[in-house]
Amino acid sequence: MPELPEVEVVRAGLERHVLGARIVAVEVLHPRPVRRHLAGASAFADELQGRVLTGARRRGKYLWLPLDSGDALMAHLGMSGQMLVQPPSSPDERHLRVRIRLDGAAEGRELRFVDQRMFGGLSISPGGAELPPEIAHIAPDPLEAAFDAEAVVRRVRRSASGIKRILLNQTVISGVGNIYADEALWRAKLHGERPGERLTAAKVRELLGHVRDVMTEALAQGGTSFDALYVNVNGESGYFERSLAAYGREGEPCDRCGSPMRRIAFMNRSSYFCPTCQPALRVRRIPAK
DNA sequence: ATACGCCCCTGCAAGC
DNA sequence: TGCTTGCAGGGGCGTA
């Protein structure tokens, strides 16, 4: 159930543990996670066989491993995906979907794609080593050099949509999911339904700063609990229970003002916010006399 | 061209 | 105890 910081932890782990490895065999245990490979599961396996993994890259929540062929093995973790590096002797995980046996730099290890809900998946991007064309429409994320905050400010202020919906639109800014959207909005004292076009440029800039900060802090904490051989992404790093000010805190006191935090339905999931610090509508102030 | 709702899956916890 | 319902951190796609 990863957002950008969790995906980055995985990327860094892959870079450390499978760089330079050669794929010797691929076993697809469930067809759904390779559904994007239209030629089918066995073609997917055949195309990967013999390739060398030459990198580990990320944009937003998408990961890709450039191959020595110039193509890339792409991965999206969806809601429940994990990429694990395991010795073959390790028992199969309950939701193991794809097994990739390695030699060379990662001799005797397996790269495993584990995914309970299978919203995520693996695919091969032809010529996608540098930037897979399938994700060219995804905007840069706040932690990469190509991120253009002023371009995001302009798009936000051109949109009548609610600011939270805009934050979750990966073509505007990538990597932000439901948790970090709520956290950044809480820090900025903004209600997620405030229309983008009604926000000042300065306020949007401030919000983007909070987005970057909350992700950077999460990344720092997620990285510390990272075990050397076990590339984990399941969000159980301890960060979520300890450091969240908004997400999942319905009924608990706001860390800033003490008001009970509220939860509302939003886009088939939930939004958490402080009704006092984050009013839905701008309050027209009555001038003091 | 946007912008929005629907749907893809499985599993868990709470409620009846 | 067993069934039903709601909910879970994502995003592609069809339709307005």
Side-chain angles (χ1 to χ4, degrees):
Chain A
M1 315 160 193
E3 298 184 26
L4 183 152
E6 294 74 31
V7 180
E8 174 57 22
V9 169
V10 175
R11 189 208 63 76
L14 292 174
E15 185 165 70
R16 183 134 52 112
H17 293 111
V18 304
L19 211 61
R22 182 181 301 274
I23 296 171
V24 293
V26 177
E27 185 183 353
V28 177
L29 293 99
H30 195 296
R32 183 156 181 82
V34 297
R35 64 193 175 281
R36 302 222 142 253
H37 194 81
L38 300 179
S42 55
F44 172 84
D46 290 346
E47 284 184 41
L48 287 177
Q49 178 128 12
R51 298 276 62 81
V52 174
L53 305 171
T54 61
R57 306 193 54 182
R58 180 188 58 73
R59 167 166 282 189
K61 304 169 196 168
Y62 284 88
L63 279 170
W64 70 97
L65 303 175
L67 306 172
D68 60 346
S69 59
D71 303 332
L73 172 59
M74 283 186 48
H76 195 288
L77 303 174
M79 295 277 268
S80 52
Q82 294 172 278
M83 295 282 262
L84 308 178
V85 178
Q86 301 276 49
S89 59
S90 176
D92 287 3
E93 291 74 14
R94 182 175 177 191
H95 301 294
L96 177 62
R97 308 304 188 188
V98 180
R99 183 201 322 274
I100 299 175
R101 291 195 9 240
L102 304 173
D103 71 3
E107 184 165 5
R109 292 188 193 164
E110 296 181 355
L111 177 59
R112 299 181 180 181
F113 182 73
V114 176
D115 189 5
Q116 179 212 118
R117 293 173 71 184
M118 298 185 289
F119 284 2
L122 303 178
S123 59
I124 298 171
S125 174
E130 190 56 33
L131 180 67
E134 295 88 341
I135 60 170
H137 64 293
I138 300 294
D141 67 62
L143 300 190
E144 63 182 301
F147 182 71
D148 182 347
E150 289 309 307
V152 178
V153 170
R154 286 193 293 274
R155 281 202 60 180
V156 168
R157 299 188 72 227
R158 264 195 278 123
S159 172
S161 296
I163 182 62
K164 180 169 178 183
R165 186 181 279 276
I166 301 170
L167 281 182
L168 295 178
N169 181 344
Q170 305 293 302
T171 70
V172 177
I173 173 174
S174 69
V176 184
N178 203 32
I179 288 185
Y180 296 115
D182 279 2
E183 294 302 310
L185 289 166
W186 181 85
R187 292 186 181 199
K189 303 184 188 176
L190 280 175
H191 192 290
E193 289 172 2
R194 294 271 296 275
E197 63 188 6
R198 303 264 308 269
L199 303 176
T200 66
K203 193 66 185 176
V204 179
R205 281 187 205 109
E206 181 200 329
L207 174 63
L208 295 178
H210 290 308
V211 168
R212 186 196 58 231
D213 290 349
V214 73
M215 286 183 164
T216 303
E217 292 165 25
L219 180 56
Q221 297 195 35
T224 60
S225 64
F226 183 67
D227 182 87
L229 200 66
Y230 186 77
V231 183
N232 195 348
V233 175
N234 61 11
E236 291 168 8
S237 62
Y239 174 78
F240 290 95
E241 297 204 25
R242 276 192 269 279
S243 300
L244 298 181
Y247 188 83
R249 298 197 63 233
E250 181 180 21
E252 295 174 42
C254 171
D255 285 349
R256 199 160 38 209
C257 78
S259 300
M261 299 290 291
R262 286 199 50 200
R263 171 187 169 277
I264 56 174
F266 171 79
M267 288 173 77
N268 274 337
R269 43 188 98 134
S270 299
S271 285
Y272 298 87
F273 66 101
C274 170
T276 302
C277 296
Q278 300 168 264
L281 300 170
R282 189 190 295 276
V283 178
R284 186 170 293 280
R285 215 166 274 193
I286 299 167
K289 55 175 177 177

